Amino acid sequence: MSLNMFSLEGKTAVVTGANTGLGQGICVAYAQAGANVIGVARRSCQETADKIAVFSGNFTEVIADLSDISLIPRIVEEAGKAYGRVDILVNNAGIIKRCDAADVTMEDWDSVININEKMVFFLSQAFAKTWIADGKGGKIINIASMLSYQGGIRVPAYTASKSAVMGMTKAMANEWASHNINVNAIAPGYMATNNTENLRKDGQRSEEILSRIPAGRWGTPEDIAGAAIFLASDAAAYVHGFTLAVDGGWLAR
């Protein structure tokens, strides 16, 4: 087997939530693997661009509020203008709102579902339509969660959305695999990102979490790189509808 199967040379990838955390890590990894990268975020991706510029990779940002479904056509259009045809979509952007289930408001529920679930489906649909039309296929990688498998505490909307991500990944794969579109997901474990900052600052909760992780540490954006490259590459050509856990062994416990 040639390692060229894992190369993304000449491919173009769109990554949402590209300005920080896992999204930034995936952007850097893809650029290192040879891809042209388009980062979508509601804030500047300059830090991501700077990291990629170090090794002269190709990166373009698209500023868009991913809670607004009406922006999808513009995202698709701007992505196409940047480097031509898009080959890979990573639905990474997501938000989490911590609150007792008894106190969750409809507004907070909708804000989480809109970004974590609704945007994931309809942005995937938009790119899939272009791939079905040109007959060349593509790769969709959704970012799921440990809470795609478990219920969690004080994050009912997030849990609902990430459970949906796993289900949508299977559903989209069932319909689009015959069009040479691979739809898979990555379920990160507990990662040192903005979403977990409050947990990591809570000494008791942090210790509880670390005691459950066989690897004994929080994950990093770099830990996602291999899985993200694999699922975007030719090496994963016959992988459809699967959610790959990158969790330090959390689910094994």
Side-chain angles (χ1 to χ4, degrees), residues 174-196:
N174 286 341
E175 294 197 36
W176 296 339
S178 63
H179 295 285
N180 197 31
I181 298 172
N182 297 77
V183 187
N184 292 290
I186 297 171
Y190 283 86
M191 299 284 170
T193 65
N194 294 344
N195 276 352
T196 62

Side-chain angles (χ1 to χ4, degrees), residues 83-95:
Y83 303 105
R85 186 184 190 276
V86 171
D87 306 282
I88 302 155
L89 169 65
V90 180
N91 288 303
N92 165 75
I95 62 171

Side-chain angles (χ1 to χ4, degrees), residues 11-15 18 23 26-32 34-39 48 52 57-61 82-83:
K11 302 292 187 181
T12 295
V14 171
V15 181
I26 292 170
C27 286
V28 173
Y30 279 179
Q32 288 174 327
N36 304 311
V37 181
I38 300 157
T48 304
I52 291 174
N58 294 324
F59 179 81
T60 298
E61 70 175 17
Y83 303 105

Side-chain angles (χ1 to χ4, degrees), residues 228-241:
I229 290 171
F230 165 62
L231 291 176
S233 73
D234 291 341
Y238 200 59
V239 180
H240 293 278

Side-chain angles (χ1 to χ4, degrees), residues 65-88:
D65 182 351
L66 290 163
S67 67
D68 187 350
I69 304 298
S70 72
L71 296 181
I72 288 176
R74 178 170 71 79
I75 294 170
V76 173
E77 180 182 5
E78 291 191 28
K81 287 179 179 178
Y83 303 105
R85 186 184 190 276
V86 171
D87 306 282
I88 302 155

